[in-house]
C-alpha cells in the first residue's frame, strides 16, 4: 500500500486545548504539577503547529505536482519576530487559543512573551525580508526563502550607566518548536580548501486566511566528520575537534552591520555557504521534477536581497558550467535571466567589496569565473565606448589599485535581469549617483519597487484595539486589501468616531507607559505626546539631531516657557564597533538621567531610551506613537519601513524628503505631515560649494546653547570630554548636515506643539494618516515584484488529491 498522509480534513486534528494537554505529556513529558510557563508556551506552539502541518504539506505537494514557477528570495538576514501570535492570527485561531489558555488557568499574553524572537537580522533589511515572506504566502505565490540559521542572532542590548552593553542572544537554547530539520537535504560547500556541510532547517510561513504555507529554509553549518580520529587516537583531543568547531562557526553568529574591516573573512564564507547550499537545493528540486538544468531560469526567479548573496552570480555559473557541463554562453543567459538584485543603500561603506587576495584564498574558482565574466563584459564595453578607458575602469567588476577588490554590486548588476531600489527617490538616486554608468548602459534594467510592511503583524497583531475599531468601521477586508483603509476618510471628521479613535490610542499609550516603567523605571504621562525615534543608531539617521532638539526643549522649559507635555522615546542598537553611534546612546542616557530627575521637568518632559529594540518591542511601540521621527539626511535613507508602520498606526510624521517619507507625504497629504530640512538636491548644491557647519551655528543661538550645555558636562557628571568627539564632529565637519537642518527642524517641532494643542485636529490628521497608508502594504510591493520582475503567478493550494 502506498504511503499517504492522514486525510486532509479537519477531523482528527485536535483542538488547541486537547493539543496542549497532549503535548505536555507527549512532547514535554511532564505532569501538570511540574510544568513551567515555558512548557505551556511550547505546548501551545506545538498544538498550533499540528494545526498548520496539513496546509504546509499540501502546499509542498501542490507546488511539486504542478511544477510551478517559483520565486526564490536569497537573504543573509530575516528579522522574523515571534511566530506564535502571528500564526494564530493568520490561522484565525487567536480566540480559540485564548479560550484554551483560560480553560487551563493560563493567560495567552503571558505565554506569548515566553517565545524568544529569532533576531536573524540587523534592522530594516532583515525585517523587510520577513514581511515579504509573509506577503508572498498571503498572495498564494509559490516562493521559498533561503538564509542562514544563525545560532546567535543580533546581540541583546542592555543600557547601563555607560550606554550600550551587549550580550549574546541564545535564541535556540530552549528549543525551537517552529523548525523541522531536514538532514536528507544537506550539501557540501568548499571554502578555502575545506568542505563544510549545510543542513536545511525549514520554518513554515503562513499566509493570512489562505491554505498557502510557504517555507523559509535556513542552513546550518556542520563539519563533515564529528572529529578527527587520527588526532584523537594520538591523544590530541583539542585538535581532534578543531575542524568541527571551525566549520560550525560559519552559522554561529549574525554579523552586526556597520562594522568595518573586522571579520570579513567569515562573512564572505557565510555568503558563499548559504548561497551555494540554496543553489544546490534548487538543482535538486529541478531534478526531482524531471526538468533539465537548462530550465533553471524558467523554474526559478531569484531575488538578491542586497549584495550579501551576490556571489550567487558566480556560483550559479560554476554549478552550470563545472558541475552540469553547460557551455559558458548558455550558462550566462540562464544566470542573467534568473537573477535580479535589490539595492538597499547608497552609503559607500555598506557597498561590499572583497579583497582579491581574500577571494583567492577562499574561493579561487569563483574568482576565476568573475575574471572571465569581467573580461567578456569589458570586451563588450570597449566596442561600445571606444577610447574611454576611465569609463571602463569605473564599470569594471574589479577595483584597481594597490589593493584590488571585487565590487559585489557591479557583479550583481551585470548578472541580473532587473535591478531595483526600494523607494522612488532612492531608485532615482541609484541611477543618478551610485551607478550612473550602468543606468546609461542598460536603462531598461533599472526599476523601483517601493517597500511595504505586512498589515497582519504590524496592525492586526500589534494593535488589536485599532484592528477591532477598523473592523467595525470599514469591515475586516483591510487585512487582505489594505487599500480598503480609504474607507476611513469619511469618518475623519466624525466626532463620535474620533472619540473612539482617541480611546484606542489612549489604550496603546497606557500599555507602552507600563512597558517603559517596567524596562527603564521611568514613569511617563500617558496623556503626553509620544515622540518616537526607534531604528538602528546611525549618524545618517541623525538621532543626535533629535537629541539636540530635546536639549533645546529642556532649556526652554527651564526658562519658563509653556510647552505641551512630551515623552521622547528612543530605541535602537548601535553596531558594537561604531564608536560615534555608541556615544549618541550615551548622550541620550545621560540626558535622560538629568531630565527625568529634574522636578521642573515633571509633567512636561520625559526622555526614555528603551533597551533592546526588536520586533516584539516594536509591536508594543508603534501603536502608541504620536510623532514619528524620520529625520535622516536627505538622500541617505533608502526607504525606511518604521515610517510606514507608524503612519499606518495613526502617527504623524516629522521628516525630511528622504526615502519613502516622500511617498508617505504625497499620499497622506502635505497638511498631515511635518516637513522640514534640505532636499537631496539642495544638499548636493551646498556640498558642491563647500559645506561648513560654523556659519549655520553662528546664526543659531539656540543650537549653540544646546551644544554648549552638553559640552559643559551637564549631562555627564561634569565630564567635559566625554561628548567631545560628537560635538567636535558636529562643529567642524558635520558630515550629516545636522547644523544645516536644525533651524528648520525646530520650526517644524513648534508646529507640532501647536497642532497637538488642538486634539480634534490632531486626531483627524491621525485618522487620515491611517486611511491613506494602504499603499504601504508589503502585499502591494510583492505584487509588483511578482508581476514585473519575477513573472510568478498565484497558485491556490487546495487539499491534496
Ligand atoms: C536598509 C535601509 C532602509 C530600508 C531597508 C529595507 C540596509 C543595507 N538597508 O532605509 O537603510 O528601509 O534597507 O529596504 O540595511
Amino acid at each position: 500500500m502506498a504511503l499517504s498522509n492522514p486525510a486532509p480534513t479537519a477531523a482528527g486534528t485536535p483542538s488547541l486545548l486537547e493539543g496542549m494537554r497532549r503535548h505536555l505529556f507527549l512532547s514535554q513529558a511532564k505532569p501538570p504539577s511540574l510544568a513551567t510557563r515555558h512548557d505551556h508556551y511550547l505546548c501551545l506552539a506545538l498544538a498550533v503547529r499540528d494545526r498548520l502541518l496539513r496546509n504546509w504539506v499540501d502546499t509542498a505537494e501542490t507546488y511539486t505536482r504542478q511544477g510551478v514557477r517559483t520565486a526564490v528570495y536569497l537573504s543573509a538576514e530575516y528579522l522574523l519576530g515571534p511566530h506564535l501570535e502571528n500564526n494564530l492570527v493568520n490561522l484565525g485561531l487567536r480566540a480559540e487559543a485564548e479560550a484554551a489558555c483560560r480553560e487551563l488557568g493560563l493567560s495567552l499574553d503571558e505565554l506569548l512573551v515566553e517565545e524568544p524572537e529569532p533576531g536573524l537580522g540587523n534592522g530594516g533589511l532583515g525585517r523587510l525580508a520577513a514581511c515579504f515572506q509573509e506577503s508572498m504566502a498571503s498572495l498564494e505565490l509559490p516562493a521559498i526563502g533561503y538564509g542562514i540559521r544563525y545560532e546567535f542572532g543580533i546581540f541583546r542590548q542592555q543600557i547601563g550607566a555607560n550606554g550600550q552593553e551587549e550580550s549574546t542572544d541564545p535564541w535556540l537554547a530552549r528549543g525551537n518548536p517552529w523548525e523541522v530539520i531536514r538532514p536528507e537535504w544537506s550539501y557540501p560547500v568548499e571554502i578555502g580548501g575545506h568542505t563544510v556541510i549545510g543542513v536545511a532547517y525549514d520554518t513554515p510561513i503562513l499566509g493570512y486566511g489562505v491554505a498557502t504555507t510557504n517555507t523559509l529554509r535556513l542552513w546550518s553549518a556542520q563539519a563533515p566528520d564529528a572529529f578527527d580520529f587520527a588526532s584523537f587516537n594520538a591523544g590530541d583531543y583539542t585538535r581532534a575537534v578543531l575542524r568541527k568547531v571551525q566549520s560550525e562557526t560559519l552559522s554561529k553568529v549574525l554579523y552586526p552591520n556597520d562594522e568595518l574591516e573586522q571579520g570579513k573573512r567569515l562573512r564572505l564564507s557565510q555568503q558563499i555557504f548559504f548561497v551555494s547550499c540554496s543553489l544546490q537545493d534548487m538543482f535538486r528540486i529541478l531534478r526531482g521534477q524531471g526538468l533539465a538544468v537548462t530550465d533553471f531560469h524558467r523554474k526559478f526567479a531569484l531575488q538578491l536581497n542586497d549584495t550579501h548573496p551576490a556571489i550567487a552570480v558566480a556560483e550559479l555559473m560554476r554549478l552550470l558550467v563545472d558541475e552540469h557541463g553547460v557551455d559558458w554562453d548558455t550558462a550566462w543567459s540562464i544566470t542573467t535571466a534568473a537573477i535580479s538584485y535589490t539595492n538597499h543603500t547608497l552609503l559607500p561603506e555598506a557597498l561590499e567589496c572583497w579583497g582579491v587576495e581574500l577571494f583567492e584564498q577562499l574561493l579561487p574558482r569563483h574568482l576565476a569565473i568573475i575574471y572571465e565574466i569581467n573580461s567578456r563584459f569589458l570586451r563588450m564595453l570597449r566596442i561600445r565606448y571606444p577610447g574611454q578607458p576611465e569609463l571602463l575602469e569605473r564599470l569594471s567588476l574589479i577595483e584597481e589599485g594597490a589593493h584590488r577588490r571585487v565590487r559585489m554590486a557591479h557583479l550583481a548588476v551585470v548578472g541580473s535581469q532587473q535591478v531595483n531600489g526600494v523607494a522612488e527617490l532612492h531608485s532615482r538616486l541609484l541611477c543618478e549617483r551610485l551607478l550612473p554608468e550602468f543606468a546609461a548602459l542598460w536603462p531598461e534594467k533599472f526599476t523601483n519597487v517601493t517597500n511595504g510592511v505586512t498589515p497582519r503583524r504590524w496592525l492586526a497583531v500589534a494593535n488589536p484595539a485599532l484592528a477591532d475599531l477598523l473592523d467595525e468601521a470599514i469591515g475586516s477586508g483591510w487585512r487582505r486589501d489594505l487599500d480598503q483603509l480609504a474607507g476611513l476618510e469619511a469618518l475623519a471628521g466624525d466626532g463620535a468616531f474620533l472619540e473612539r479613535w482617541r480611546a484606542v490610542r489612549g489604550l496603546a499609550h497606557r500599555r507602552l507607559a507600563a512597558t517603559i516603567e517596567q524596562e527603564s523605571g521611568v514613569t511617563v504621562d500617558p496623556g503626553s505626546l509620544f515622540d518616537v525615534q526607534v531604528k538602528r543608531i546611525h549618524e545618517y539617521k541623525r538621532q543626535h539631531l533629535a537629541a539636540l532638539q530635546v536639549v533645546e526643549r529642556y532649556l526652554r522649559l527651564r526658562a519658563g516657557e509653556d510647552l505641551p507635555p512630551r515623552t521622547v522615546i528612543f530605541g535602537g542598537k548601535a553596531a558594537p564597533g561604531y564608536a560615534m553611534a555608541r556615544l549618541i546612546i550615551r548622550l541620550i542616557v545621560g540626558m535622560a538621567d538629568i531630565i527625568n530627575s529634574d522636578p521642573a521637568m515633571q509633567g512636561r518632559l520625559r526622555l526614555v531610551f528603551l533597551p533592546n529594540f526588536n520586533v516584539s518591542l516594536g509591536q508594543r511601540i508603534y501603536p502608541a506613537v504620536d510623532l514619528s521621527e524620520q529625520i535622516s539626511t536627505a538622500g541617505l535613507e533608502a526607504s525606511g519601513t518604521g515610517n510606514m508602520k507608524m503612519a499606518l498606526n495613526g502617527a504623524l510624521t516629522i521628516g525630511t524628503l528622504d526615502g519613502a517619507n516622500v511617498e508617505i507625504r504625497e499620499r497622506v497629504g502635505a497638511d498631515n505631515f511635518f516637513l522640514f530640512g534640505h532636499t537631496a538636491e539642495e544638499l548636493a548644491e551646498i556640498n558642491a560649494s563647500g559645506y561648513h557647519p560654523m556659519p549655520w551655528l553662528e546664526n543659531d543661538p539656540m543650537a549653540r546653547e544646546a551644544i554648549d550645555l552638553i559640552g559643559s558636562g551637564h549631562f555627564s557628571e561634569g565630564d567635559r570630554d566625554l561628548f567631545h568627539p560628537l560635538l567636535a564632529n558636529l562643529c567642524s565637519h558635520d558630515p550629516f548636515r545636522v547644523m544645516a537642518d536644525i533651524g528648520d527642524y525646530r520650526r517644524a517641532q513648534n508646529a507640532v506643539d501647536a497642532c497637538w494643542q488642538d486634539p480634534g485636529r490632531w486626531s483627524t490628521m491621525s485618522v487620515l494618516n491611517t486611511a491613506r497608508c494602504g499603499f504601504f502594504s508589503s502585499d502591494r510591493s510583492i505584487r509588483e515584484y511578482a508581476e514585473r520582475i519575477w513573472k510568478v503567478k498565484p497558485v491556490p493550494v487546495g487539499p491534496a488529491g
Side-chain angles (χ1 to χ4, degrees), residues 451-467:
N451 283 345
V453 301
T454 167
R456 273 74 63 181
R457 184 177 290 271
W458 298 114
L459 222 170
V461 172
N463 201 347
L466 181 57

PDB file of all heavy atoms in Angstrom, residues 451-467:
ATOM      1  N   ASN A 451       9.157  49.840  -0.863  1.00  0.00           N
ATOM      2  CA  ASN A 451       8.950  48.881   0.220  1.00  0.00           C
ATOM      3  C   ASN A 451       7.532  48.925   0.787  1.00  0.00           C
ATOM      4  O   ASN A 451       6.780  49.878   0.553  1.00  0.00           O
ATOM      5  CB  ASN A 451       9.916  49.184   1.372  1.00  0.00           C
ATOM      6  CG  ASN A 451      11.337  48.713   1.083  1.00  0.00           C
ATOM      7  OD1 ASN A 451      11.563  47.929   0.168  1.00  0.00           O
ATOM      8  ND2 ASN A 451      12.281  49.196   1.871  1.00  0.00           N
ATOM      9  N   GLY A 452       7.222  47.929   1.589  1.00  0.00           N
ATOM     10  CA  GLY A 452       5.948  47.891   2.287  1.00  0.00           C
ATOM     11  C   GLY A 452       6.097  47.038   3.539  1.00  0.00           C
ATOM     12  O   GLY A 452       7.149  46.422   3.755  1.00  0.00           O
ATOM     13  N   VAL A 453       5.063  47.028   4.350  1.00  0.00           N
ATOM     14  CA  VAL A 453       5.093  46.240   5.596  1.00  0.00           C
ATOM     15  C   VAL A 453       3.811  45.404   5.669  1.00  0.00           C
ATOM     16  O   VAL A 453       2.779  45.789   5.113  1.00  0.00           O
ATOM     17  CB  VAL A 453       5.207  47.154   6.830  1.00  0.00           C
ATOM     18  CG1 VAL A 453       6.465  48.001   6.748  1.00  0.00           C
ATOM     19  CG2 VAL A 453       3.985  48.054   6.991  1.00  0.00           C
ATOM     20  N   THR A 454       3.882  44.284   6.365  1.00  0.00           N
ATOM     21  CA  THR A 454       2.683  43.440   6.394  1.00  0.00           C
ATOM     22  C   THR A 454       1.661  43.959   7.415  1.00  0.00           C
ATOM     23  O   THR A 454       1.985  44.129   8.592  1.00  0.00           O
ATOM     24  CB  THR A 454       2.994  41.957   6.651  1.00  0.00           C
ATOM     25  OG1 THR A 454       1.736  41.311   6.967  1.00  0.00           O
ATOM     26  CG2 THR A 454       3.945  41.745   7.822  1.00  0.00           C
ATOM     27  N   PRO A 455       0.434  44.204   6.959  1.00  0.00           N
ATOM     28  CA  PRO A 455      -0.602  44.704   7.852  1.00  0.00           C
ATOM     29  C   PRO A 455      -1.043  43.664   8.881  1.00  0.00           C
ATOM     30  O   PRO A 455      -1.674  44.018   9.879  1.00  0.00           O
ATOM     31  CB  PRO A 455      -1.763  45.030   6.912  1.00  0.00           C
ATOM     32  CG  PRO A 455      -1.524  44.232   5.682  1.00  0.00           C
ATOM     33  CD  PRO A 455      -0.035  44.048   5.577  1.00  0.00           C
ATOM     34  N   ARG A 456      -0.712  42.387   8.653  1.00  0.00           N
ATOM     35  CA  ARG A 456      -1.108  41.394   9.650  1.00  0.00           C
ATOM     36  C   ARG A 456      -0.282  41.610  10.912  1.00  0.00           C
ATOM     37  O   ARG A 456      -0.819  41.936  11.964  1.00  0.00           O
ATOM     38  CB  ARG A 456      -0.929  39.962   9.105  1.00  0.00           C
ATOM     39  CG  ARG A 456      -2.132  39.433   8.330  1.00  0.00           C
ATOM     40  CD  ARG A 456      -2.309  40.039   6.951  1.00  0.00           C
ATOM     41  NE  ARG A 456      -1.187  39.741   6.049  1.00  0.00           N
ATOM     42  CZ  ARG A 456      -1.091  40.158   4.804  1.00  0.00           C
ATOM     43  NH1 ARG A 456      -2.033  40.923   4.266  1.00  0.00           N
ATOM     44  NH2 ARG A 456      -0.047  39.862   4.061  1.00  0.00           N
ATOM     45  N   ARG A 457       1.032  41.526  10.792  1.00  0.00           N
ATOM     46  CA  ARG A 457       1.830  41.704  12.011  1.00  0.00           C
ATOM     47  C   ARG A 457       1.737  43.138  12.541  1.00  0.00           C
ATOM     48  O   ARG A 457       1.584  43.352  13.734  1.00  0.00           O
ATOM     49  CB  ARG A 457       3.299  41.341  11.793  1.00  0.00           C
ATOM     50  CG  ARG A 457       4.115  41.434  13.088  1.00  0.00           C
ATOM     51  CD  ARG A 457       5.556  41.004  12.910  1.00  0.00           C
ATOM     52  NE  ARG A 457       5.701  39.578  12.675  1.00  0.00           N
ATOM     53  CZ  ARG A 457       5.847  38.657  13.635  1.00  0.00           C
ATOM     54  NH1 ARG A 457       5.846  39.020  14.905  1.00  0.00           N
ATOM     55  NH2 ARG A 457       5.991  37.376  13.320  1.00  0.00           N
ATOM     56  N   TRP A 458       1.809  44.122  11.634  1.00  0.00           N
ATOM     57  CA  TRP A 458       2.007  45.499  12.106  1.00  0.00           C
ATOM     58  C   TRP A 458       0.715  46.229  12.418  1.00  0.00           C
ATOM     59  O   TRP A 458       0.733  47.338  12.901  1.00  0.00           O
ATOM     60  CB  TRP A 458       2.904  46.282  11.144  1.00  0.00           C
ATOM     61  CG  TRP A 458       4.255  45.661  11.081  1.00  0.00           C
ATOM     62  CD1 TRP A 458       4.833  45.044  10.012  1.00  0.00           C
ATOM     63  CD2 TRP A 458       5.203  45.539  12.169  1.00  0.00           C
ATOM     64  NE1 TRP A 458       6.071  44.550  10.360  1.00  0.00           N
ATOM     65  CE2 TRP A 458       6.317  44.836  11.673  1.00  0.00           C
ATOM     66  CE3 TRP A 458       5.206  45.947  13.510  1.00  0.00           C
ATOM     67  CZ2 TRP A 458       7.433  44.536  12.470  1.00  0.00           C
ATOM     68  CZ3 TRP A 458       6.303  45.658  14.296  1.00  0.00           C
ATOM     69  CH2 TRP A 458       7.400  44.962  13.776  1.00  0.00           C
ATOM     70  N   LEU A 459      -0.415  45.599  12.129  1.00  0.00           N
ATOM     71  CA  LEU A 459      -1.672  46.183  12.568  1.00  0.00           C
ATOM     72  C   LEU A 459      -2.518  45.159  13.322  1.00  0.00           C
ATOM     73  O   LEU A 459      -2.813  45.335  14.496  1.00  0.00           O
ATOM     74  CB  LEU A 459      -2.432  46.765  11.358  1.00  0.00           C
ATOM     75  CG  LEU A 459      -3.084  48.128  11.596  1.00  0.00           C
ATOM     76  CD1 LEU A 459      -3.587  48.739  10.310  1.00  0.00           C
ATOM     77  CD2 LEU A 459      -4.213  48.042  12.599  1.00  0.00           C
ATOM     78  N   ALA A 460      -2.843  44.058  12.652  1.00  0.00           N
ATOM     79  CA  ALA A 460      -3.739  43.092  13.299  1.00  0.00           C
ATOM     80  C   ALA A 460      -3.141  42.525  14.591  1.00  0.00           C
ATOM     81  O   ALA A 460      -3.821  42.434  15.615  1.00  0.00           O
ATOM     82  CB  ALA A 460      -4.059  41.949  12.325  1.00  0.00           C
ATOM     83  N   VAL A 461      -1.854  42.135  14.539  1.00  0.00           N
ATOM     84  CA  VAL A 461      -1.228  41.559  15.732  1.00  0.00           C
ATOM     85  C   VAL A 461      -0.800  42.648  16.713  1.00  0.00           C
ATOM     86  O   VAL A 461      -1.044  42.551  17.915  1.00  0.00           O
ATOM     87  CB  VAL A 461      -0.010  40.681  15.339  1.00  0.00           C
ATOM     88  CG1 VAL A 461       0.763  40.234  16.577  1.00  0.00           C
ATOM     89  CG2 VAL A 461      -0.459  39.468  14.529  1.00  0.00           C
ATOM     90  N   ALA A 462      -0.164  43.700  16.178  1.00  0.00           N
ATOM     91  CA  ALA A 462       0.432  44.704  17.071  1.00  0.00           C
ATOM     92  C   ALA A 462      -0.616  45.587  17.738  1.00  0.00           C
ATOM     93  O   ALA A 462      -0.419  46.053  18.846  1.00  0.00           O
ATOM     94  CB  ALA A 462       1.422  45.568  16.290  1.00  0.00           C
ATOM     95  N   ASN A 463      -1.711  45.823  17.063  1.00  0.00           N
ATOM     96  CA  ASN A 463      -2.667  46.819  17.547  1.00  0.00           C
ATOM     97  C   ASN A 463      -4.105  46.278  17.505  1.00  0.00           C
ATOM     98  O   ASN A 463      -4.940  46.762  16.729  1.00  0.00           O
ATOM     99  CB  ASN A 463      -2.530  48.073  16.669  1.00  0.00           C
ATOM    100  CG  ASN A 463      -3.061  49.324  17.352  1.00  0.00           C
ATOM    101  OD1 ASN A 463      -3.747  49.237  18.372  1.00  0.00           O
ATOM    102  ND2 ASN A 463      -2.770  50.478  16.774  1.00  0.00           N
ATOM    103  N   PRO A 464      -4.392  45.252  18.343  1.00  0.00           N
ATOM    104  CA  PRO A 464      -5.708  44.605  18.262  1.00  0.00           C
ATOM    105  C   PRO A 464      -6.868  45.578  18.514  1.00  0.00           C
ATOM    106  O   PRO A 464      -7.936  45.416  17.906  1.00  0.00           O
ATOM    107  CB  PRO A 464      -5.649  43.521  19.343  1.00  0.00           C
ATOM    108  CG  PRO A 464      -4.433  43.788  20.158  1.00  0.00           C
ATOM    109  CD  PRO A 464      -3.511  44.625  19.344  1.00  0.00           C
ATOM    110  N   ALA A 465      -6.666  46.578  19.343  1.00  0.00           N
ATOM    111  CA  ALA A 465      -7.769  47.502  19.624  1.00  0.00           C
ATOM    112  C   ALA A 465      -8.105  48.325  18.376  1.00  0.00           C
ATOM    113  O   ALA A 465      -9.283  48.521  18.033  1.00  0.00           O
ATOM    114  CB  ALA A 465      -7.410  48.428  20.782  1.00  0.00           C
ATOM    115  N   LEU A 466      -7.074  48.767  17.684  1.00  0.00           N
ATOM    116  CA  LEU A 466      -7.328  49.504  16.442  1.00  0.00           C
ATOM    117  C   LEU A 466      -7.943  48.576  15.390  1.00  0.00           C
ATOM    118  O   LEU A 466      -8.864  48.957  14.659  1.00  0.00           O
ATOM    119  CB  LEU A 466      -6.035  50.131  15.912  1.00  0.00           C
ATOM    120  CG  LEU A 466      -6.164  50.950  14.623  1.00  0.00           C
ATOM    121  CD1 LEU A 466      -7.181  52.072  14.771  1.00  0.00           C
ATOM    122  CD2 LEU A 466      -4.814  51.539  14.201  1.00  0.00           C
ATOM    123  N   ALA A 467      -7.439  47.336  15.349  1.00  0.00           N
ATOM    124  CA  ALA A 467      -7.979  46.368  14.392  1.00  0.00           C
ATOM    125  C   ALA A 467      -9.485  46.192  14.618  1.00  0.00           C
ATOM    126  O   ALA A 467     -10.271  46.180  13.661  1.00  0.00           O
ATOM    127  CB  ALA A 467      -7.245  45.040  14.519  1.00  0.00           C
TER     128      ALA A 467
END
